[in-house]
Amino acid sequence: QSVLTQPPSVSGAPGQRVTISCTGSSSNIGAGHDVHWYQQLPGTAPKLLIYGNSNRPSGVPDRFSGSKSGTSASLAISGLQAEDEADYHCQSYDSSLSAYVFGTGTKVTVL
Amino acid sequence: EVQLLESGGGLVQPGGSLRLSCAASGFRFSSYGMIWVRQAPGRGLEWVSGISAGISVTHYADSVKGRFTISRDNSKNTLYLQMNSLRAEDTAVYYCAKKAVVGTSGWFDPWGQGTLVTVSS
């Protein structure tokens, strides 16, 4: 049902770099709508991680970075830490649906 | 500190109704759009409804259109979601969130802690 597709899971050892893709279409990401990312720690509410494709709110470590190209976006986590183990969700707007849309969600596991 | 606190969740039978509330503090509530997002058990996030600041224009996901009604009381700094004709597939944690900027490219920050709605006989 989700309009934006993410890999179900990614994993990496502490210190490594992982990336999460968010694939959309010409009616959402490809239409120029911004992509935002949220981190959801186990049992908690989502928290804003990246806004406007690549901007970090104050307090978010610079290990987290976002980018967007064409109909896709990516979230990168460098220097992976145990505390980064969480679910990550991308979000945009879809012009055809006239609705905000979320990605399918990606679980990050720190090995 | 900006805070959002949901309440009103619980167990309801299919076909029943429930009203969720979201109490806001720490910001000028009347000046911001607000949204509801839900997360079914073990699933991803789904935008449910949104309401603008000012003249309170409302929007709904197709899955809830005609059954759910979003509203706000700026004098009480409170957002509501009236849910009627509830179905099993409406079972989820419901979050309210503040829309950061005007327009369709906005993001949501912060989020409340969520309230669980269970639709079951």
Side-chain angles (χ1 to χ4, degrees):
Chain A
Q1 184 175 354
S2 295
V3 173
L4 305 179
T5 302
Q6 300 177 230
S9 63
V10 299
S11 61
Q16 284 190 329
R17 182 178 187 268
V18 297
T19 61
I20 301 170
S21 61
C22 174
T23 303
S25 68
S26 59
S27 61
N28 41 69
I29 300 174
H33 294 296
D34 286 342
V35 177
H36 320 293
W37 291 89
Y38 303 88
Q39 178 191 59
Q40 187 174 26
L41 296 170
T44 69
K47 170 193 160 190
L48 181 67
L49 192 67
I50 296 287
Y51 67 94
N53 304 314
S54 59
N55 301 291
R56 280 177 289 106
S58 60
V60 172
D62 59 7
R63 303 184 291 104
F64 295 92
S65 61
S67 64
K68 172 189 161 185
S69 178
T71 58
S72 295
S74 290
L75 173 72
I77 311 173
S78 59
L80 196 62
Q81 298 183 6
E83 65 207 51
D84 299 333
E85 201 160 90
D87 292 327
Y88 293 82
H89 310 271
C90 60
Q91 175 247 314
S92 186
Y93 183 81
D94 193 285
S95 301
S96 294
L97 298 174
S98 295
Y100 292 99
V101 289
F102 285 93
T104 46
T106 298
K107 182 175 182 58
V108 170
T109 300
V110 182
L111 302 173
Chain B
E1 180 191 4
V2 176
Q3 283 194 325
L4 299 171
L5 184 62
E6 301 96 336
S7 61
L11 174 64
V12 60
Q13 292 188 338
S17 298
L18 213 54
R19 187 176 85 154
L20 306 183
S21 299
C22 170
S25 61
F27 66 102
R28 183 175 289 184
F29 179 73
S30 60
S31 296
Y32 290 88
M34 299 291 294
I35 60 134
W36 288 97
V37 172
R38 67 184 180 184
Q39 186 172 34
R43 305 292 297 275
L45 301 171
E46 179 190 14
W47 172 80
V48 171
S49 182
I51 186 167
S52 68
I55 59 173
S56 294
V57 176
T58 59
H59 302 276
Y60 299 92
D62 287 343
S63 57
V64 306
K65 203 170 292 183
R67 301 188 298 123
F68 289 12
T69 302
I70 190 172
S71 63
R72 63 191 300 160
D73 185 337
N74 291 334
S75 67
K76 296 182 178 179
N77 289 344
T78 302
L79 175 73
Y80 301 101
L81 185 68
Q82 177 66 45
M83 304 185 295
N84 298 331
S85 303
L86 283 162
R87 307 166 179 166
E89 54 264 37
D90 296 319
T91 294
V93 174
Y94 285 72
Y95 297 101
C96 65
K98 170 178 161 281
K99 196 158 169 294
V101 296
V102 175
T104 56
S105 284
W107 58 93
F108 312 132
D109 178 56
W111 297 54
Q113 88 290 347
T115 187
L116 175 62
V117 172
T118 303
V119 184
S120 174
S121 54

